[in-house]
Amino acid sequence: MHSASIPTEKSVSPSLIFILAAACGIIAANLYYAQPLIGSIGSTIGLSSGAAALIVTLTQVGYGIGLLFIVPLGDILENRKLILSSLLLTAAVLTIAAVIKNAILFLTASLVIGVGSVAAQILVPYAAHLSPEAVRGRNVGNVMSGLLLGNMLARPISSLVAEYMGWRAIYFISAALIFALALVLAKALPSRKPSTATAYPALLHSMLHLLKATPALRRRAIYHACVFGTFSLFWTTVPLVLTSPPFHFTQKEVALFALVGVMGAIVAPAAGRMADRGWVRPATGWALAIVIFSGLLPLLVPSSSSLAVPILVVAAILLDMGVSANMVLGQRVIFSLGAEFRSRLNGLYMAIFFLGGAIGSAAGGWAYATGGWEAALLIGIALPAIAMAYYATEFFEIKEGKSH
């Protein structure tokens, strides 16, 4: 069901899609700003180096909570008000985090920042609601490219800002950006009041039923949990590799390397167009193959080789391309399943693959500590290889394949 206030038969303006893409990037960046800064933040607020990792962990936990308990509200509450409420909460907490000196309060703020940042995942199905079927994949791809750019740019930007202005500056800057964004969206977004009348407890209970009753959702979530696990593993361990012998990168050089991955986000709109043309299945195979190849590539050249850094650059670009494409293809599939539960499907999809990312990040850190870079890469290859094996079953399950 579509709300009468959003005429999905008409094409949404490119300017609104651009605003939605920029909004998703600005919001999603809050999940990653702290990652390269936890040492500096921890020493300032009195956290040990081990406990400082909780800053990132709690932000991610908050995001997971929001995906499961806030994003589904997009199916029953007026979307613009829900988005603006989340943004104003996030801006307020970012401002508080910028001045907090108490460790417990800062960790609490980190959790709430994660919860508020799910506004980006309310905006993505909102963009799908705005879009007619013929261009839904392209529009979702364009919006997702903004979100992915925010993910990828956050770490290098926060590193550079912290180097010249201190770590608190990035929280002030983000708070100002989020508040300004709320003002822009208040004017730019059309109202969307879902016609579904479901009580909140029933809404949450229905998510388990949706997961059981929607094989396409389970399939796409498992595919992306595997590739996002490799993505998280790579970007958790590659800074450790680059700052160690024989590379000896500085933090600024690691930040510049991270910028390279941004190029991978350019394939998101192309993947959306392929999905609109009915090419989801072959495009998925290519995306998974690219992720596997990105893990194999660094194993072909020893770290001592003069080609080692260029190979890592190519691997980073290919990895981000494969992950970006697969994410958009997955969302195009699940957003075609039914408008009345689109937000719940998106929340489930994101929560499942986010769990895959957390597992990949933890596995990468463990593998690097115990077996080195090669061991981490082997796990990074195994995860999308599992997805590829599962993908192969699409060709033998004709009945399920029709649901795609």
Side-chain angles (χ1 to χ4, degrees):
M1 300 177 203
H2 295 278
S3 167
S5 58
I6 289 186
T8 55
E9 300 305 315
K10 296 181 180 178
S11 183
V12 60
S13 71
S15 61
L16 183 53
I17 291 296
F18 175 80
I19 289 170
L20 292 172
C24 283
I26 291 168
I27 297 164
N30 286 305
L31 295 171
Y32 302 100
Y33 284 138
Q35 284 190 343
L37 308 179
I38 57 173
S40 302
I41 296 172
S43 62
T44 303
I45 64 175
L47 284 172
S48 67
S49 56
L54 285 171
I55 297 167
V56 174
T57 302
L58 286 172
T59 305
Q60 309 283 30
V61 168
Y63 193 65
I65 291 169
L67 287 171
L68 292 174
F69 296 99
I70 305 298
V71 170
L73 288 169
D75 286 336
I76 58 172
L77 297 182
E78 201 282 304
N79 284 193
R80 182 172 59 182
K81 289 180 181 177
L82 182 60
I83 291 162
L84 295 178
S85 299
S86 298
L87 292 181
L88 292 174
L89 170 68
T90 306
V93 178
L94 283 164
T95 305
I96 293 168
V99 297
I100 284 174
K101 296 180 181 178
N102 178 276
I104 298 298
L105 289 177
F106 190 90
L107 291 173
T108 303
S110 298
L111 180 78
V112 180
I113 288 167
V115 173
S117 295
V118 297
Q121 294 307 327
I122 302 168
L123 282 168
V124 176
Y126 181 90
H129 283 295
L130 285 168
S131 306
E133 176 71 20
V135 294
R136 185 170 294 143
R138 183 180 69 187
N139 286 346
V140 168
N142 286 332
V143 171
M144 285 304 301
S145 66
L147 186 145
L148 292 163
L149 281 170
N151 290 352
M152 295 169 188
L153 286 170
R155 298 176 188 90
I157 287 173
S158 66
S159 295
L160 294 173
V161 168
E163 184 164 337
Y164 294 106
M165 302 169 66
W167 67 263
R168 293 186 185 276
I170 195 66
Y171 284 88
F172 279 121
I173 291 168
S174 183
L177 282 173
I178 294 292
F179 183 72
L181 179 63
L183 297 179
V184 171
L185 293 182
K187 289 186 174 293
L189 296 184
S191 172
R192 178 186 177 261
K193 172 63 177 170
S195 51
T196 304
T198 305
Y200 184 59
L203 184 81
L204 295 179
H205 185 264
S206 71
M207 292 175 71
L208 184 60
H209 172 73
L210 283 172
L211 186 61
K212 289 179 179 178
T214 317
L217 168 65
R218 295 197 304 271
R219 183 175 283 279
R220 297 308 314 192
I222 290 169
Y223 290 168
H224 206 66
C226 290
V227 299
F228 196 65
T230 296
F231 176 87
S232 297
L233 179 149
F234 181 88
W235 288 108
T236 297
T237 54
V238 81
L240 302 174
V241 174
L242 292 174
T243 53
S244 303
F247 303 111
H248 298 291
F249 272 34
T250 64
Q251 281 301 119
K252 189 184 293 186
E253 287 169 334
V254 172
L256 292 173
F257 178 86
L259 282 172
V260 168
V262 169
M263 294 175 63
I266 63 173
V267 305
R273 289 187 182 92
M274 293 178 77
D276 287 337
R277 292 178 182 138
W279 299 345
V280 168
R281 185 169 289 169
T284 298
W286 279 108
L288 296 176
I290 288 169
V291 175
I292 293 170
F293 183 66
S294 73
L296 286 168
L297 206 52
L299 289 174
L300 303 177
V301 178
S303 297
S304 56
S305 169
S306 59
L307 291 175
V309 172
I311 287 292
L312 280 175
V313 167
V314 173
I317 294 171
L318 288 175
L319 172 63
D320 290 359
M321 286 175 64
V323 173
S324 301
N326 191 67
M327 181 185 235
V328 171
L329 292 167
Q331 287 186 304
R332 179 62 173 85
V333 169
I334 66 171
F335 289 163
S336 299
L337 297 175
E340 67 274 14
F341 41 75
R342 196 169 275 155
S343 290
R344 277 167 283 174
L345 291 175
N346 192 50
L348 286 165
Y349 176 66
M350 297 291 297
I352 292 168
F353 86 64
F354 213 75
L355 176 62
I359 292 169
S361 183
W366 170 81
Y368 183 78
T370 56
W373 177 227
E374 290 78 12
L377 285 172
L378 289 173
I379 294 175
I381 295 164
L383 289 170
I386 291 168
M388 182 66 88
Y390 185 35
Y391 164 75
T393 67
E394 282 198 34
F395 298 92
F396 301 103
E397 297 178 7
I398 298 171
K399 185 177 179 181
E400 185 180 63
K402 286 179 181 178
S403 71
H404 289 242

